[in-house]
Amino acid sequence: MNVVKIAIIGAGFSGLGAAIKLRQEGIDDFVILDRGQNFGGTWRDNTYPGAACDVPSHLYSYSFAPNPTWSRSFSEQPEIHRYINNVAAKNDLESYTRWNTEVTGIVWNEADGQWVITTSAGEYRANFVIAGVGPLCEPKLPDLKGIDDFAGEIFHSARWNHDYNLEGKRVAVIGTGASAIQIIPELAKKVGRLDVYQRTAAWVLPRLDRPYSNTESWAFKNIPGFQTAARAGIYASRELVSFGLTHAPGVLAPAKVLGKQNIARGISDRKLRAAVTPKWKVGCKRILLSNTYYPALNQANVDLVTDPIKEVTTTGIVTADGVARDVDAIVVATGFHVTDSPAFEHIIGKDGSSLAQVWESTGINAYKGTTVHGFPNLFLMVGPATGLGHTSIIYMIESQLNYLVDYLKLQRKYDIARVEVRSDVQHDYNVGIQKNLKSSVWETGGCASWYKDVFGNITTLWPGFTFRYRHITRKFDLAAYDTSSAAATGARTSAAPVTSHPATETVTS
Ligand code: NAP
């Protein structure tokens, strides 16, 4: 058994960022547990052809680890993966990390004031857990009749089989989301025939992607402030979109025009143009970016199939109209278990209920997207209502890291052993979140999306400007929490409440 002060689950952007902050705070008694073999999380796992980020890298990177050598405006997966591993190496984090360590249970032991963490490589105990498992870590397979019996090659976009040669083959792609629209143009170049199964058309806008010129690269490296200014410019332009998404979907009307122009530019056939034109408002689902998706659908070797899938047979896919299309391989690009992540079942709180069970009755929610009543000494990274569709999630992660660092300072100052958010505070905070979401395009835009949980509440997204989130996470508001000191550890209730701290906050954007 290994005992540490803090256990970080996951070595992606969240876990790595947390580890760096712990070291900066002089904390060395921690471990990072990850089922993989190197840093990167979703950017390690998603190696499909065409994988790239929709947020320019000068913003999609840590503010405390700028990289002046990004080769282009929107980096591709290998470059982002390299960046993450370089940052880890510079901060000397390898020795803190346990690879090939799959976490199977995280159980709070009230008597000991510890989390008991079971893994594929033994047990760990920690006073504090930072869960950086990420919302995009568990591939979601479609529940299609017969899919297990398909005799050809089949894999999920996040588990790409690079050993299988798709050259010249008959291939089906199920899904037309963010991953699929990057995969499809790459496959269209090399497969014999490609069937694209679209359930819902997405708005796809032009992607302003280009390599940086030598002059720009020189300036990023040598002109003080140039990279910071570029980052600030990208941030500001993306925040404007958030106003439209949350408060005034009408503001996004020009995006619809751009989307329609993108379709017209890429597709010549009128029927095909109509088939890929969404019937819901721009922004209701994630806005996608591509210059190559529509031209790929326009290729002679590519077919868009819009009839619903009836079943998968041993040799291919049959649609509701009775047409059977045989294929050699199926690429499943159907997304991730976001609101029903298996990780929620593994975390068991003070009452013996899992996070999944608690959220089944209350709906998915947390205080400031980070702490949950009943789950002491636990920080969720990219927790409920912190997700974004328009800008860099790293900005939200860094906001949470500020909150974490401030807590660690207070923890030391007041000798806190146990911290648990008050249920009334968590409740009021989430009433505010849901109120702010009412006028959002995610609510009013006329689409179904995984942004919503089983109660129909949008539980994944942050409503409003991200600087509001930065503001409410700048200080750890102890008044929102029940705490007990190290001396009182073991007491179930607040033994040593700490007073005279900032008042609790609700959200207004
Ligand atoms: P996704 O956005 O959830 O898209 C899944 C696609 O599969 C949708 O088109 C969905 O159709 C379809 N689908 C799901 N179940 C199906 C079924 N049973 N039958 C037929 N079609 C089905 O997943 P993703 O594309 O992997 O992207 C997930 C998230 O990853 C993104 O939102 C984004 O946050 C991130 N991501 C980002 C980038 C980037 O930065 N460029 C790239 C990839 C991923 P419906 O729309 O009808 O549900």
Side-chain angles (χ1 to χ4, degrees):
M1 184 181 59
N2 307 276
V3 183
V4 286
K5 183 182 162 92
I6 300 177
I8 299 172
I9 320 292
F13 263 116
S14 293
L16 172 58
I20 292 169
K21 293 294 170 183
L22 292 188
R23 292 210 64 198
Q24 285 172 356
E25 285 304 299
I27 298 171
D28 277 318
D29 187 10
F30 71 90
V31 69
I32 307 172
L33 308 174
D34 194 290
R35 63 187 177 188
Q37 287 166 16
N38 55 62
F39 291 92
T42 196
W43 290 106
R44 175 195 62 211
D45 295 342
N46 281 272
T47 59
Y48 61 76
C53 188
D54 276 353
V55 179
S57 294
H58 285 294
L59 183 60
Y60 197 84
S61 47
Y62 298 118
S63 63
F64 52 80
N67 172 22
T69 65
W70 291 117
S71 62
R72 53 190 312 119
S73 49
F74 292 90
S75 297
E76 292 168 1
Q77 176 268 339
E79 196 170 3
I80 298 171
H81 188 214
R82 255 194 324 275
Y83 164 79
I84 298 172
N85 280 280
N86 285 343
V87 173
K90 272 191 196 136
N91 287 276
D92 211 7
L93 286 169
E94 186 70 31
S95 61
Y96 294 86
T97 314
R98 307 289 169 267
W99 300 120
N100 301 311
T101 303
E102 173 120 29
V103 173
T104 50
I106 308 174
V107 181
W108 176 251
N109 180 320
E110 187 73 51
D112 296 341
Q114 274 183 331
W115 287 100
V116 180
I117 303 157
T118 47
T119 80
S120 56
E123 188 176 292
Y124 288 79
R125 282 173 185 250
N127 174 250
F128 201 89
V129 165
I130 299 167
V133 293
L136 306 176
C137 79
E138 291 296 338
K140 187 173 185 172
L141 300 171
D143 187 14
L144 293 171
K145 185 179 162 207
I147 194 161
D148 292 336
D149 302 326
F150 179 64
E153 184 66 25
I154 180 164
F155 49 85
H156 188 272
S157 53
R159 300 285 181 272
W160 198 268
N161 181 1
H162 291 278
D163 294 333
Y164 183 78
N165 184 4
L166 289 155
E167 198 90 36
K169 300 271 174 32
R170 298 165 304 166
V171 180
V173 173
I174 303 178
T176 51
S179 302
I181 68 138
Q182 294 184 331
I183 292 166
I184 288 160
E186 295 306 311
L187 292 190
K189 288 179 200 165
K190 60 172 166 191
V191 302
R193 204 191 78 222
L194 182 61
D195 300 329
V196 175
Y197 288 84
Q198 170 189 284
R199 189 165 70 177
T200 315
W203 284 108
V204 184
L205 271 50
R207 185 177 174 86
L208 306 174
D209 185 22
R210 61 182 181 81
Y212 286 122
S213 67
N214 290 341
T215 314
E216 284 170 305
S217 295
W218 180 88
F220 285 133
K221 246 187 246 166
N222 298 299
I223 301 180
F226 186 71
Q227 194 181 1
T228 312
R231 183 178 168 97
I234 300 164
Y235 175 74
S237 63
R238 299 244 159 186
E239 281 307 277
L240 288 179
V241 177
S242 89
F243 180 73
L245 291 170
T246 318
H247 300 296
V251 170
L252 301 172
K256 185 173 175 181
V257 176
L258 286 175
K260 285 194 161 181
Q261 284 172 349
N262 208 20
I263 293 170
R265 227 185 343 257
I267 295 178
S268 46
D269 179 65
R270 216 162 43 87
K271 265 195 184 155
L272 185 55
R273 282 181 183 175
V276 297
T277 304
K279 297 182 177 45
W280 38 273
K281 284 188 193 160
V282 176
C284 184
K285 281 170 181 271
R286 189 186 167 93
I287 298 171
L288 309 181
L289 304 178
S290 177
N291 304 331
T292 51
Y293 174 58
Y294 292 131
L297 293 184
N298 205 39
Q299 279 182 217
N301 64 334
V302 181
D303 276 332
L304 182 79
V305 184
T306 55
D307 278 298
I309 297 173
K310 185 175 153 223
E311 62 178 325
V312 179
T313 63
T314 53
T315 54
I317 296 177
V318 181
T319 39
D321 56 0
V323 176
R325 293 174 180 84
D326 283 355
V327 283
D328 303 303
I330 300 177
V331 173
V332 180
T334 46
F336 299 86
H337 289 282
V338 179
T339 55
D340 57 349
S341 170
F344 304 157
E345 285 159 28
H346 296 156
I347 303 176
I348 315 284
K350 67 176 184 185
D351 295 331
S353 303
S354 69
L355 206 45
Q357 286 166 328
V358 169
W359 282 344
E360 248 168 54
S361 59
T362 64
I364 297 175
N365 71 89
Y367 181 56
K368 298 188 175 178
T370 308
T371 49
V372 181
H373 179 72
F375 296 82
N377 295 11
L378 173 72
F379 260 49
L380 301 175
M381 299 299 295
V382 195
T386 59
L388 305 169
H390 66 292
T391 189
S392 174
I393 195 66
I394 318 295
Y395 183 88
M396 300 301 270
I397 290 172
E398 284 196 41
S399 302
Q400 290 192 285
L401 296 180
N402 291 346
Y403 198 58
L404 171 70
V405 167
D406 203 53
Y407 170 68
L408 294 172
K409 289 186 197 309
L410 294 172
Q411 189 269 329
R412 241 189 302 227
K413 185 172 171 188
Y414 297 110
D415 195 21
I416 298 168
R418 185 185 186 285
V419 63
E420 179 185 3
V421 70
R422 286 167 31 201
S423 61
D424 58 325
V425 172
Q426 187 183 328
H427 174 267
D428 292 350
Y429 174 84
N430 282 287
V431 169
I433 290 276
Q434 289 305 321
K435 196 166 146 238
N436 282 347
L437 282 162
K438 279 283 168 272
S439 57
S440 74
V441 68
W442 309 303
E443 195 71 72
T444 63
C447 72
S449 76
W450 56 258
Y451 293 156
K452 294 182 181 176
D453 69 3
V454 289
F455 295 97
N457 289 324
I458 296 163
T459 56
T460 45
L461 294 171
W462 170 251
F465 296 113
T466 58
F467 53 75
R468 277 290 309 149
Y469 187 70
R470 177 61 58 96
H471 181 73
I472 65 163
T473 47
R474 75 202 180 285
K475 288 275 171 213
F476 191 84
D477 42 351
L478 266 181
Y481 291 82
D482 289 327
T483 56
S484 52
S485 67
T489 308
R492 282 188 70 83
T493 51
S494 176
V498 186
T499 51
S500 70
H501 293 291
T504 58
E505 286 166 280
T506 48
V507 205
T508 45
S509 55

